[in-house]
Amino acid sequence: MSTPIPIFVATRQTQGQRDNDFCFVPEGEIVTFPVFTCEGEEADGACGCRRSLCGVHSSTGTTTMKVALLEGGRPALEQAIRFSLRDGGWPQVGVEKTIAKIVTAASQFPIGTVVEWRDDLFTARKS
């Protein structure tokens, strides 16, 4: 049995605190970093790639995510990310680095904290 790990899941909580918030990911879906970000894009740019994480199943983005525990632990997160990359036609590279980055970032906050990600920095949102 794997030890639960902290991850990020999509949430609509605090949506609207920023004028350019969006959430196209179903509530509770595991989210990960975009495969790439647009060159020259800024956090508040039109694309949103520098301020959103992507759902592993829906392949859509959200600017709000919540820290949650993943019961299946690291193997479950790895499987979700690998399936997401495969389904999107992306190469299966950088998975371990992505997992480490997600777990390290999520570990900085209490479970249930709603956060935003802007220019590679996670910040807790005010409830």
Side-chain angles (χ1 to χ4, degrees):
M1 182 164 229
S2 296
T3 304
I5 58 170
I7 60 163
F8 296 110
V9 297
T11 186
R12 286 183 173 72
Q13 292 175 329
T14 75
Q15 277 285 306
Q17 282 187 1
R18 292 187 182 272
D19 290 340
N20 57 6
D21 274 343
F22 56 85
C23 184
F24 302 110
V25 183
E27 188 84 21
E29 182 176 326
I30 296 170
V31 293
T32 188
F33 298 99
V35 173
F36 69 92
T37 55
C38 299
E39 188 174 326
E41 181 74 4
E42 296 180 8
D44 290 314
C47 175
C49 63
R50 300 286 301 161
R51 67 178 182 275
S52 62
L53 296 187
C54 302
V56 296
H57 299 296
S58 64
S59 297
T60 55
T62 182
T63 55
T64 51
M65 50 290 313
K66 181 168 37 176
V67 180
L69 275 180
L70 180 61
E71 291 300 325
R74 198 172 184 89
L77 182 57
E78 180 178 350
Q79 181 181 36
I81 291 171
R82 287 194 183 281
F83 284 174
S84 180
L85 290 170
R86 182 201 66 204
D87 292 349
W90 298 102
Q92 306 257 327
V93 296
V95 174
E96 288 301 319
K97 185 177 178 180
T98 299
I99 291 169
K101 190 174 174 182
I102 289 169
V103 173
T104 299
S107 296
Q108 298 175 32
F109 304 96
I111 301 301
T113 304
V114 177
V115 300
E116 64 181 10
W117 178 72
R118 295 170 61 78
D119 288 328
D120 290 325
L121 178 66
F122 286 96
T123 308
R125 282 202 166 185
K126 292 179 172 82
S127 310

PDB file of all heavy atoms in Angstrom, residues 24-64:
ATOM      1  N   PHE A  24     -12.008  25.165 -16.343  1.00  0.00           N
ATOM      2  CA  PHE A  24     -12.658  24.262 -17.284  1.00  0.00           C
ATOM      3  C   PHE A  24     -12.453  22.800 -16.895  1.00  0.00           C
ATOM      4  O   PHE A  24     -12.866  21.901 -17.611  1.00  0.00           O
ATOM      5  CB  PHE A  24     -12.116  24.504 -18.706  1.00  0.00           C
ATOM      6  CG  PHE A  24     -12.300  25.918 -19.178  1.00  0.00           C
ATOM      7  CD1 PHE A  24     -11.216  26.763 -19.331  1.00  0.00           C
ATOM      8  CD2 PHE A  24     -13.569  26.413 -19.435  1.00  0.00           C
ATOM      9  CE1 PHE A  24     -11.382  28.081 -19.756  1.00  0.00           C
ATOM     10  CE2 PHE A  24     -13.748  27.725 -19.856  1.00  0.00           C
ATOM     11  CZ  PHE A  24     -12.654  28.561 -20.009  1.00  0.00           C
ATOM     12  N   VAL A  25     -11.789  22.582 -15.757  1.00  0.00           N
ATOM     13  CA  VAL A  25     -11.477  21.238 -15.273  1.00  0.00           C
ATOM     14  C   VAL A  25     -12.564  20.825 -14.284  1.00  0.00           C
ATOM     15  O   VAL A  25     -12.931  21.602 -13.414  1.00  0.00           O
ATOM     16  CB  VAL A  25     -10.094  21.211 -14.581  1.00  0.00           C
ATOM     17  CG1 VAL A  25      -9.727  19.802 -14.152  1.00  0.00           C
ATOM     18  CG2 VAL A  25      -9.023  21.799 -15.486  1.00  0.00           C
ATOM     19  N   PRO A  26     -13.078  19.610 -14.387  1.00  0.00           N
ATOM     20  CA  PRO A  26     -14.075  19.160 -13.410  1.00  0.00           C
ATOM     21  C   PRO A  26     -13.526  19.219 -11.980  1.00  0.00           C
ATOM     22  O   PRO A  26     -12.352  18.927 -11.733  1.00  0.00           O
ATOM     23  CB  PRO A  26     -14.345  17.704 -13.819  1.00  0.00           C
ATOM     24  CG  PRO A  26     -13.997  17.650 -15.266  1.00  0.00           C
ATOM     25  CD  PRO A  26     -12.841  18.602 -15.430  1.00  0.00           C
ATOM     26  N   GLU A  27     -14.378  19.635 -11.081  1.00  0.00           N
ATOM     27  CA  GLU A  27     -14.030  19.742  -9.656  1.00  0.00           C
ATOM     28  C   GLU A  27     -13.388  18.440  -9.165  1.00  0.00           C
ATOM     29  O   GLU A  27     -13.902  17.350  -9.409  1.00  0.00           O
ATOM     30  CB  GLU A  27     -15.299  20.025  -8.851  1.00  0.00           C
ATOM     31  CG  GLU A  27     -15.071  20.340  -7.405  1.00  0.00           C
ATOM     32  CD  GLU A  27     -14.730  21.790  -7.128  1.00  0.00           C
ATOM     33  OE1 GLU A  27     -15.035  22.657  -7.979  1.00  0.00           O
ATOM     34  OE2 GLU A  27     -14.166  22.050  -6.060  1.00  0.00           O
ATOM     35  N   GLY A  28     -12.236  18.555  -8.519  1.00  0.00           N
ATOM     36  CA  GLY A  28     -11.579  17.405  -7.919  1.00  0.00           C
ATOM     37  C   GLY A  28     -10.637  16.627  -8.829  1.00  0.00           C
ATOM     38  O   GLY A  28      -9.950  15.715  -8.360  1.00  0.00           O
ATOM     39  N   GLU A  29     -10.581  16.971 -10.108  1.00  0.00           N
ATOM     40  CA  GLU A  29      -9.661  16.264 -11.016  1.00  0.00           C
ATOM     41  C   GLU A  29      -8.217  16.646 -10.699  1.00  0.00           C
ATOM     42  O   GLU A  29      -7.916  17.805 -10.432  1.00  0.00           O
ATOM     43  CB  GLU A  29      -9.975  16.619 -12.469  1.00  0.00           C
ATOM     44  CG  GLU A  29      -9.105  15.888 -13.475  1.00  0.00           C
ATOM     45  CD  GLU A  29      -9.497  16.179 -14.919  1.00  0.00           C
ATOM     46  OE1 GLU A  29     -10.693  16.377 -15.210  1.00  0.00           O
ATOM     47  OE2 GLU A  29      -8.573  16.203 -15.757  1.00  0.00           O
ATOM     48  N   ILE A  30      -7.328  15.676 -10.735  1.00  0.00           N
ATOM     49  CA  ILE A  30      -5.910  15.939 -10.529  1.00  0.00           C
ATOM     50  C   ILE A  30      -5.425  16.882 -11.626  1.00  0.00           C
ATOM     51  O   ILE A  30      -5.768  16.717 -12.805  1.00  0.00           O
ATOM     52  CB  ILE A  30      -5.093  14.634 -10.581  1.00  0.00           C
ATOM     53  CG1 ILE A  30      -5.492  13.708  -9.444  1.00  0.00           C
ATOM     54  CG2 ILE A  30      -3.585  14.929 -10.530  1.00  0.00           C
ATOM     55  CD1 ILE A  30      -4.897  12.300  -9.559  1.00  0.00           C
ATOM     56  N   VAL A  31      -4.621  17.873 -11.230  1.00  0.00           N
ATOM     57  CA  VAL A  31      -4.045  18.799 -12.207  1.00  0.00           C
ATOM     58  C   VAL A  31      -2.529  18.739 -12.142  1.00  0.00           C
ATOM     59  O   VAL A  31      -1.939  18.400 -11.115  1.00  0.00           O
ATOM     60  CB  VAL A  31      -4.537  20.252 -12.003  1.00  0.00           C
ATOM     61  CG1 VAL A  31      -6.024  20.369 -12.301  1.00  0.00           C
ATOM     62  CG2 VAL A  31      -4.238  20.762 -10.602  1.00  0.00           C
ATOM     63  N   THR A  32      -1.916  19.048 -13.273  1.00  0.00           N
ATOM     64  CA  THR A  32      -0.460  19.054 -13.385  1.00  0.00           C
ATOM     65  C   THR A  32      -0.044  20.260 -14.215  1.00  0.00           C
ATOM     66  O   THR A  32      -0.888  20.993 -14.739  1.00  0.00           O
ATOM     67  CB  THR A  32       0.045  17.732 -14.018  1.00  0.00           C
ATOM     68  OG1 THR A  32       1.468  17.692 -13.933  1.00  0.00           O
ATOM     69  CG2 THR A  32      -0.414  17.566 -15.448  1.00  0.00           C
ATOM     70  N   PHE A  33       1.246  20.441 -14.333  1.00  0.00           N
ATOM     71  CA  PHE A  33       1.770  21.579 -15.065  1.00  0.00           C
ATOM     72  C   PHE A  33       1.526  21.421 -16.565  1.00  0.00           C
ATOM     73  O   PHE A  33       1.488  20.306 -17.076  1.00  0.00           O
ATOM     74  CB  PHE A  33       3.282  21.706 -14.806  1.00  0.00           C
ATOM     75  CG  PHE A  33       3.597  21.945 -13.364  1.00  0.00           C
ATOM     76  CD1 PHE A  33       3.996  20.901 -12.552  1.00  0.00           C
ATOM     77  CD2 PHE A  33       3.465  23.208 -12.809  1.00  0.00           C
ATOM     78  CE1 PHE A  33       4.277  21.104 -11.209  1.00  0.00           C
ATOM     79  CE2 PHE A  33       3.737  23.424 -11.465  1.00  0.00           C
ATOM     80  CZ  PHE A  33       4.142  22.371 -10.662  1.00  0.00           C
ATOM     81  N   PRO A  34       1.385  22.546 -17.272  1.00  0.00           N
ATOM     82  CA  PRO A  34       1.241  22.454 -18.725  1.00  0.00           C
ATOM     83  C   PRO A  34       2.498  21.828 -19.333  1.00  0.00           C
ATOM     84  O   PRO A  34       3.598  21.989 -18.798  1.00  0.00           O
ATOM     85  CB  PRO A  34       1.084  23.911 -19.177  1.00  0.00           C
ATOM     86  CG  PRO A  34       1.231  24.771 -17.992  1.00  0.00           C
ATOM     87  CD  PRO A  34       1.399  23.921 -16.787  1.00  0.00           C
ATOM     88  N   VAL A  35       2.333  21.124 -20.415  1.00  0.00           N
ATOM     89  CA  VAL A  35       3.470  20.499 -21.092  1.00  0.00           C
ATOM     90  C   VAL A  35       4.430  21.583 -21.592  1.00  0.00           C
ATOM     91  O   VAL A  35       5.641  21.426 -21.545  1.00  0.00           O
ATOM     92  CB  VAL A  35       2.993  19.597 -22.251  1.00  0.00           C
ATOM     93  CG1 VAL A  35       4.168  19.085 -23.058  1.00  0.00           C
ATOM     94  CG2 VAL A  35       2.171  18.437 -21.714  1.00  0.00           C
ATOM     95  N   PHE A  36       3.893  22.676 -22.055  1.00  0.00           N
ATOM     96  CA  PHE A  36       4.717  23.808 -22.479  1.00  0.00           C
ATOM     97  C   PHE A  36       3.955  25.090 -22.211  1.00  0.00           C
ATOM     98  O   PHE A  36       2.738  25.074 -22.022  1.00  0.00           O
ATOM     99  CB  PHE A  36       5.110  23.715 -23.967  1.00  0.00           C
ATOM    100  CG  PHE A  36       3.957  23.913 -24.898  1.00  0.00           C
ATOM    101  CD1 PHE A  36       3.639  25.168 -25.385  1.00  0.00           C
ATOM    102  CD2 PHE A  36       3.180  22.837 -25.304  1.00  0.00           C
ATOM    103  CE1 PHE A  36       2.569  25.355 -26.247  1.00  0.00           C
ATOM    104  CE2 PHE A  36       2.109  23.004 -26.170  1.00  0.00           C
ATOM    105  CZ  PHE A  36       1.804  24.271 -26.636  1.00  0.00           C
ATOM    106  N   THR A  37       4.680  26.194 -22.177  1.00  0.00           N
ATOM    107  CA  THR A  37       4.055  27.512 -22.061  1.00  0.00           C
ATOM    108  C   THR A  37       4.499  28.342 -23.254  1.00  0.00           C
ATOM    109  O   THR A  37       5.581  28.129 -23.809  1.00  0.00           O
ATOM    110  CB  THR A  37       4.448  28.213 -20.743  1.00  0.00           C
ATOM    111  OG1 THR A  37       5.862  28.268 -20.648  1.00  0.00           O
ATOM    112  CG2 THR A  37       3.875  27.479 -19.535  1.00  0.00           C
ATOM    113  N   CYS A  38       3.657  29.255 -23.630  1.00  0.00           N
ATOM    114  CA  CYS A  38       3.941  30.085 -24.798  1.00  0.00           C
ATOM    115  C   CYS A  38       5.159  30.973 -24.552  1.00  0.00           C
ATOM    116  O   CYS A  38       5.301  31.557 -23.474  1.00  0.00           O
ATOM    117  CB  CYS A  38       2.737  30.962 -25.116  1.00  0.00           C
ATOM    118  SG  CYS A  38       1.244  30.038 -25.507  1.00  0.00           S
ATOM    119  N   GLU A  39       6.001  31.068 -25.554  1.00  0.00           N
ATOM    120  CA  GLU A  39       7.172  31.933 -25.463  1.00  0.00           C
ATOM    121  C   GLU A  39       6.726  33.384 -25.340  1.00  0.00           C
ATOM    122  O   GLU A  39       5.871  33.853 -26.101  1.00  0.00           O
ATOM    123  CB  GLU A  39       8.046  31.751 -26.703  1.00  0.00           C
ATOM    124  CG  GLU A  39       9.367  32.471 -26.608  1.00  0.00           C
ATOM    125  CD  GLU A  39      10.268  32.156 -27.784  1.00  0.00           C
ATOM    126  OE1 GLU A  39      10.219  31.018 -28.294  1.00  0.00           O
ATOM    127  OE2 GLU A  39      11.004  33.058 -28.189  1.00  0.00           O
ATOM    128  N   GLY A  40       7.250  34.073 -24.354  1.00  0.00           N
ATOM    129  CA  GLY A  40       6.922  35.479 -24.168  1.00  0.00           C
ATOM    130  C   GLY A  40       5.601  35.738 -23.452  1.00  0.00           C
ATOM    131  O   GLY A  40       5.257  36.888 -23.186  1.00  0.00           O
ATOM    132  N   GLU A  41       4.875  34.679 -23.127  1.00  0.00           N
ATOM    133  CA  GLU A  41       3.586  34.837 -22.432  1.00  0.00           C
ATOM    134  C   GLU A  41       3.830  35.301 -20.998  1.00  0.00           C
ATOM    135  O   GLU A  41       4.767  34.870 -20.332  1.00  0.00           O
ATOM    136  CB  GLU A  41       2.821  33.512 -22.433  1.00  0.00           C
ATOM    137  CG  GLU A  41       1.469  33.566 -21.767  1.00  0.00           C
ATOM    138  CD  GLU A  41       0.407  34.285 -22.583  1.00  0.00           C
ATOM    139  OE1 GLU A  41       0.670  34.696 -23.733  1.00  0.00           O
ATOM    140  OE2 GLU A  41      -0.691  34.443 -22.062  1.00  0.00           O
ATOM    141  N   GLU A  42       2.979  36.177 -20.512  1.00  0.00           N
ATOM    142  CA  GLU A  42       3.040  36.647 -19.129  1.00  0.00           C
ATOM    143  C   GLU A  42       1.893  36.012 -18.355  1.00  0.00           C
ATOM    144  O   GLU A  42       0.936  35.506 -18.948  1.00  0.00           O
ATOM    145  CB  GLU A  42       2.943  38.163 -19.089  1.00  0.00           C
ATOM    146  CG  GLU A  42       4.130  38.842 -19.767  1.00  0.00           C
ATOM    147  CD  GLU A  42       4.042  40.355 -19.731  1.00  0.00           C
ATOM    148  OE1 GLU A  42       3.146  40.887 -19.050  1.00  0.00           O
ATOM    149  OE2 GLU A  42       4.877  40.991 -20.392  1.00  0.00           O
ATOM    150  N   ALA A  43       1.975  36.060 -17.029  1.00  0.00           N
ATOM    151  CA  ALA A  43       0.944  35.432 -16.193  1.00  0.00           C
ATOM    152  C   ALA A  43      -0.456  35.922 -16.548  1.00  0.00           C
ATOM    153  O   ALA A  43      -1.408  35.146 -16.543  1.00  0.00           O
ATOM    154  CB  ALA A  43       1.232  35.665 -14.719  1.00  0.00           C
ATOM    155  N   ASP A  44      -0.591  37.193 -16.854  1.00  0.00           N
ATOM    156  CA  ASP A  44      -1.912  37.727 -17.184  1.00  0.00           C
ATOM    157  C   ASP A  44      -2.155  37.823 -18.683  1.00  0.00           C
ATOM    158  O   ASP A  44      -3.084  38.494 -19.127  1.00  0.00           O
ATOM    159  CB  ASP A  44      -2.100  39.097 -16.525  1.00  0.00           C
ATOM    160  CG  ASP A  44      -2.223  38.973 -15.021  1.00  0.00           C
ATOM    161  OD1 ASP A  44      -2.979  38.095 -14.565  1.00  0.00           O
ATOM    162  OD2 ASP A  44      -1.557  39.735 -14.295  1.00  0.00           O
ATOM    163  N   GLY A  45      -1.348  37.107 -19.461  1.00  0.00           N
ATOM    164  CA  GLY A  45      -1.517  37.102 -20.909  1.00  0.00           C
ATOM    165  C   GLY A  45      -2.799  36.409 -21.346  1.00  0.00           C
ATOM    166  O   GLY A  45      -3.456  35.710 -20.569  1.00  0.00           O
ATOM    167  N   ALA A  46      -3.141  36.582 -22.597  1.00  0.00           N
ATOM    168  CA  ALA A  46      -4.398  36.057 -23.141  1.00  0.00           C
ATOM    169  C   ALA A  46      -4.496  34.543 -23.093  1.00  0.00           C
ATOM    170  O   ALA A  46      -5.573  33.980 -22.911  1.00  0.00           O
ATOM    171  CB  ALA A  46      -4.571  36.538 -24.578  1.00  0.00           C
ATOM    172  N   CYS A  47      -3.374  33.845 -23.236  1.00  0.00           N
ATOM    173  CA  CYS A  47      -3.397  32.383 -23.288  1.00  0.00           C
ATOM    174  C   CYS A  47      -3.759  31.765 -21.939  1.00  0.00           C
ATOM    175  O   CYS A  47      -4.552  30.833 -21.867  1.00  0.00           O
ATOM    176  CB  CYS A  47      -2.048  31.855 -23.754  1.00  0.00           C
ATOM    177  SG  CYS A  47      -1.926  30.060 -23.722  1.00  0.00           S
ATOM    178  N   GLY A  48      -3.150  32.238 -20.876  1.00  0.00           N
ATOM    179  CA  GLY A  48      -3.397  31.680 -19.554  1.00  0.00           C
ATOM    180  C   GLY A  48      -2.454  30.558 -19.169  1.00  0.00           C
ATOM    181  O   GLY A  48      -2.547  30.003 -18.081  1.00  0.00           O
ATOM    182  N   CYS A  49      -1.517  30.218 -20.054  1.00  0.00           N
ATOM    183  CA  CYS A  49      -0.627  29.082 -19.793  1.00  0.00           C
ATOM    184  C   CYS A  49       0.353  29.346 -18.657  1.00  0.00           C
ATOM    185  O   CYS A  49       0.896  28.400 -18.091  1.00  0.00           O
ATOM    186  CB  CYS A  49       0.118  28.672 -21.055  1.00  0.00           C
ATOM    187  SG  CYS A  49       1.231  29.935 -21.726  1.00  0.00           S
ATOM    188  N   ARG A  50       0.579  30.592 -18.290  1.00  0.00           N
ATOM    189  CA  ARG A  50       1.510  30.906 -17.201  1.00  0.00           C
ATOM    190  C   ARG A  50       0.782  31.081 -15.861  1.00  0.00           C
ATOM    191  O   ARG A  50       1.398  31.455 -14.876  1.00  0.00           O
ATOM    192  CB  ARG A  50       2.303  32.182 -17.512  1.00  0.00           C
ATOM    193  CG  ARG A  50       3.134  32.104 -18.762  1.00  0.00           C
ATOM    194  CD  ARG A  50       4.357  31.268 -18.642  1.00  0.00           C
ATOM    195  NE  ARG A  50       5.208  31.805 -17.584  1.00  0.00           N
ATOM    196  CZ  ARG A  50       6.160  31.107 -17.000  1.00  0.00           C
ATOM    197  NH1 ARG A  50       6.388  29.874 -17.345  1.00  0.00           N
ATOM    198  NH2 ARG A  50       6.886  31.638 -16.064  1.00  0.00           N
ATOM    199  N   ARG A  51      -0.532  30.814 -15.858  1.00  0.00           N
ATOM    200  CA  ARG A  51      -1.288  30.943 -14.616  1.00  0.00           C
ATOM    201  C   ARG A  51      -2.262  29.785 -14.378  1.00  0.00           C
ATOM    202  O   ARG A  51      -3.088  29.836 -13.478  1.00  0.00           O
ATOM    203  CB  ARG A  51      -2.038  32.275 -14.577  1.00  0.00           C
ATOM    204  CG  ARG A  51      -3.153  32.417 -15.595  1.00  0.00           C
ATOM    205  CD  ARG A  51      -3.878  33.754 -15.442  1.00  0.00           C
ATOM    206  NE  ARG A  51      -4.972  33.886 -16.372  1.00  0.00           N
ATOM    207  CZ  ARG A  51      -4.861  34.316 -17.622  1.00  0.00           C
ATOM    208  NH1 ARG A  51      -3.679  34.656 -18.098  1.00  0.00           N
ATOM    209  NH2 ARG A  51      -5.916  34.397 -18.397  1.00  0.00           N
ATOM    210  N   SER A  52      -2.171  28.737 -15.171  1.00  0.00           N
ATOM    211  CA  SER A  52      -3.124  27.636 -15.013  1.00  0.00           C
ATOM    212  C   SER A  52      -2.429  26.288 -15.031  1.00  0.00           C
ATOM    213  O   SER A  52      -1.383  26.115 -15.639  1.00  0.00           O
ATOM    214  CB  SER A  52      -4.179  27.686 -16.123  1.00  0.00           C
ATOM    215  OG  SER A  52      -3.585  27.523 -17.392  1.00  0.00           O
ATOM    216  N   LEU A  53      -3.041  25.345 -14.332  1.00  0.00           N
ATOM    217  CA  LEU A  53      -2.621  23.955 -14.391  1.00  0.00           C
ATOM    218  C   LEU A  53      -3.650  23.192 -15.209  1.00  0.00           C
ATOM    219  O   LEU A  53      -4.779  23.659 -15.391  1.00  0.00           O
ATOM    220  CB  LEU A  53      -2.490  23.352 -12.994  1.00  0.00           C
ATOM    221  CG  LEU A  53      -1.419  23.961 -12.080  1.00  0.00           C
ATOM    222  CD1 LEU A  53      -1.287  23.134 -10.798  1.00  0.00           C
ATOM    223  CD2 LEU A  53      -0.080  24.094 -12.759  1.00  0.00           C
ATOM    224  N   CYS A  54      -3.282  22.009 -15.683  1.00  0.00           N
ATOM    225  CA  CYS A  54      -4.114  21.238 -16.612  1.00  0.00           C
ATOM    226  C   CYS A  54      -4.638  19.961 -15.973  1.00  0.00           C
ATOM    227  O   CYS A  54      -3.892  19.246 -15.301  1.00  0.00           O
ATOM    228  CB  CYS A  54      -3.303  20.861 -17.841  1.00  0.00           C
ATOM    229  SG  CYS A  54      -2.629  22.276 -18.701  1.00  0.00           S
ATOM    230  N   GLY A  55      -5.897  19.665 -16.234  1.00  0.00           N
ATOM    231  CA  GLY A  55      -6.492  18.418 -15.759  1.00  0.00           C
ATOM    232  C   GLY A  55      -5.879  17.231 -16.472  1.00  0.00           C
ATOM    233  O   GLY A  55      -5.700  17.265 -17.693  1.00  0.00           O
ATOM    234  N   VAL A  56      -5.558  16.161 -15.712  1.00  0.00           N
ATOM    235  CA  VAL A  56      -4.918  14.998 -16.319  1.00  0.00           C
ATOM    236  C   VAL A  56      -5.864  14.191 -17.200  1.00  0.00           C
ATOM    237  O   VAL A  56      -5.407  13.453 -18.071  1.00  0.00           O
ATOM    238  CB  VAL A  56      -4.261  14.074 -15.265  1.00  0.00           C
ATOM    239  CG1 VAL A  56      -3.131  14.784 -14.544  1.00  0.00           C
ATOM    240  CG2 VAL A  56      -5.265  13.532 -14.280  1.00  0.00           C
ATOM    241  N   HIS A  57      -7.163  14.323 -16.998  1.00  0.00           N
ATOM    242  CA  HIS A  57      -8.126  13.597 -17.839  1.00  0.00           C
ATOM    243  C   HIS A  57      -8.772  14.519 -18.869  1.00  0.00           C
ATOM    244  O   HIS A  57      -8.907  14.150 -20.029  1.00  0.00           O
ATOM    245  CB  HIS A  57      -9.215  12.946 -16.984  1.00  0.00           C
ATOM    246  CG  HIS A  57      -8.686  11.944 -16.009  1.00  0.00           C
ATOM    247  ND1 HIS A  57      -8.054  10.777 -16.396  1.00  0.00           N
ATOM    248  CD2 HIS A  57      -8.671  11.947 -14.661  1.00  0.00           C
ATOM    249  CE1 HIS A  57      -7.675  10.110 -15.335  1.00  0.00           C
ATOM    250  NE2 HIS A  57      -8.026  10.793 -14.262  1.00  0.00           N
ATOM    251  N   SER A  58      -9.147  15.710 -18.446  1.00  0.00           N
ATOM    252  CA  SER A  58      -9.869  16.633 -19.328  1.00  0.00           C
ATOM    253  C   SER A  58      -8.960  17.409 -20.264  1.00  0.00           C
ATOM    254  O   SER A  58      -9.432  17.938 -21.273  1.00  0.00           O
ATOM    255  CB  SER A  58     -10.681  17.623 -18.489  1.00  0.00           C
ATOM    256  OG  SER A  58      -9.803  18.434 -17.705  1.00  0.00           O
ATOM    257  N   SER A  59      -7.669  17.526 -19.919  1.00  0.00           N
ATOM    258  CA  SER A  59      -6.709  18.320 -20.701  1.00  0.00           C
ATOM    259  C   SER A  59      -7.159  19.766 -20.857  1.00  0.00           C
ATOM    260  O   SER A  59      -6.875  20.414 -21.861  1.00  0.00           O
ATOM    261  CB  SER A  59      -6.456  17.684 -22.079  1.00  0.00           C
ATOM    262  OG  SER A  59      -5.873  16.419 -21.927  1.00  0.00           O
ATOM    263  N   THR A  60      -7.881  20.253 -19.855  1.00  0.00           N
ATOM    264  CA  THR A  60      -8.314  21.644 -19.837  1.00  0.00           C
ATOM    265  C   THR A  60      -7.665  22.332 -18.646  1.00  0.00           C
ATOM    266  O   THR A  60      -7.039  21.680 -17.808  1.00  0.00           O
ATOM    267  CB  THR A  60      -9.846  21.736 -19.744  1.00  0.00           C
ATOM    268  OG1 THR A  60     -10.293  20.983 -18.594  1.00  0.00           O
ATOM    269  CG2 THR A  60     -10.506  21.180 -20.994  1.00  0.00           C
ATOM    270  N   GLY A  61      -7.784  23.650 -18.556  1.00  0.00           N
ATOM    271  CA  GLY A  61      -7.060  24.396 -17.550  1.00  0.00           C
ATOM    272  C   GLY A  61      -7.924  25.007 -16.457  1.00  0.00           C
ATOM    273  O   GLY A  61      -9.121  25.203 -16.619  1.00  0.00           O
ATOM    274  N   THR A  62      -7.250  25.320 -15.347  1.00  0.00           N
ATOM    275  CA  THR A  62      -7.874  26.027 -14.235  1.00  0.00           C
ATOM    276  C   THR A  62      -6.847  26.936 -13.577  1.00  0.00           C
ATOM    277  O   THR A  62      -5.668  26.584 -13.486  1.00  0.00           O
ATOM    278  CB  THR A  62      -8.468  25.076 -13.182  1.00  0.00           C
ATOM    279  OG1 THR A  62      -9.096  25.853 -12.160  1.00  0.00           O
ATOM    280  CG2 THR A  62      -7.417  24.164 -12.553  1.00  0.00           C
ATOM    281  N   THR A  63      -7.300  28.090 -13.130  1.00  0.00           N
ATOM    282  CA  THR A  63      -6.428  29.019 -12.411  1.00  0.00           C
ATOM    283  C   THR A  63      -6.541  28.829 -10.902  1.00  0.00           C
ATOM    284  O   THR A  63      -5.831  29.490 -10.150  1.00  0.00           O
ATOM    285  CB  THR A  63      -6.767  30.485 -12.765  1.00  0.00           C
ATOM    286  OG1 THR A  63      -8.154  30.724 -12.510  1.00  0.00           O
ATOM    287  CG2 THR A  63      -6.431  30.784 -14.211  1.00  0.00           C
ATOM    288  N   THR A  64      -7.433  27.949 -10.466  1.00  0.00           N
ATOM    289  CA  THR A  64      -7.564  27.668  -9.032  1.00  0.00           C
ATOM    290  C   THR A  64      -7.465  26.178  -8.795  1.00  0.00           C
ATOM    291  O   THR A  64      -8.075  25.372  -9.494  1.00  0.00           O
ATOM    292  CB  THR A  64      -8.907  28.185  -8.470  1.00  0.00           C
ATOM    293  OG1 THR A  64      -9.973  27.709  -9.280  1.00  0.00           O
ATOM    294  CG2 THR A  64      -8.938  29.703  -8.420  1.00  0.00           C
TER     295      THR A  64
END
